[in-house]
């Protein structure tokens, strides 16, 4: 066990779950390494997952799951994703699709480890979220219309 004391471990789980951005996640990993030694891959992945979750929430992503070799990203009707960013991602990622149901399907490379998969998904969400503070998207229907 990376953090032996159960009470401390629970406090750190809470801090990891409360990560709001990538900078905070990076600082938390540094703090963990300083305090408890080199970070096991599983702990790093937990921090990366929490960071990805926070990024997805800020972007208005309703769900993100992995199925049949794809990452399926479902947008909330009030998602703040710029339709042009979505269109650009679908154009540039081979095999990417945006379905009529408002789900972005991103192909995942085979034999991709957890760390690499989390990094790829984070990069894709960063690309989708670029300039989200400038112009919110009113609905996923608008996004689908732009892609037709």
């Amino acid at each position: 066990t990376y953090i032996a004391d159960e009470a401390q471990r629970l406090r750190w789980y809470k801090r990891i779950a409360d990560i709001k951005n990538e900078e905070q996640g990076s600082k938390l990993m540094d703090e963990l390494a300083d305090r408890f030694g080199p970070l096991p891959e599983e702990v790093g992945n937990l921090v990366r997952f929490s960071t990805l979750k926070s990024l997805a929430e800020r972007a208005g992503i309703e769900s993100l799951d992995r199925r049949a070799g794809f990452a399926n990203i479902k947008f909330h009707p009030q998602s703040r994703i710029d339709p042009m960013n979505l269109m650009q991602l679908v154009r540039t990622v081979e095999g990417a699709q945006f379905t009529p149901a408002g789900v972005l399907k991103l192909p995942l490379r085979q034999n991709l480890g957890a760390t690499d998969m989390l990094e790829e998904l984070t990069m894709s969400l960063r690309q989708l979220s670029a300039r989200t503070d400038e112009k919110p998207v009113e609905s996923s229907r608008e996004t689908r219309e732009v892609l037709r």
Side-chain angles (χ1 to χ4, degrees), residues 115-128:
T115 301
D116 291 334
M117 182 176 52
L118 289 167
E119 292 295 330
E120 279 193 15
L121 289 170
T122 298
M123 285 176 36
S124 294
L125 289 188
R126 269 193 229 122
Q127 184 178 347
L128 283 171

Side-chain angles (χ1 to χ4, degrees), residues 51-97:
T51 302
L52 177 67
K53 181 179 174 219
S54 176
L55 182 59
E57 286 173 357
R58 283 194 322 272
I61 291 172
E62 196 169 289
S63 67
L64 193 157
D65 63 63
R66 184 176 77 172
R67 203 175 308 153
F70 284 88
N72 298 307
I73 301 171
K74 183 172 183 179
F75 298 96
H76 185 274
Q78 300 302 315
S79 175
R80 297 179 52 118
I81 297 298
D82 184 333
M84 298 308 287
N85 291 348
L86 179 58
M87 204 164 65
Q88 179 68 22
L89 188 66
V90 170
R91 251 194 325 258
T92 58
V93 175
E94 186 176 336
Q97 308 167 29

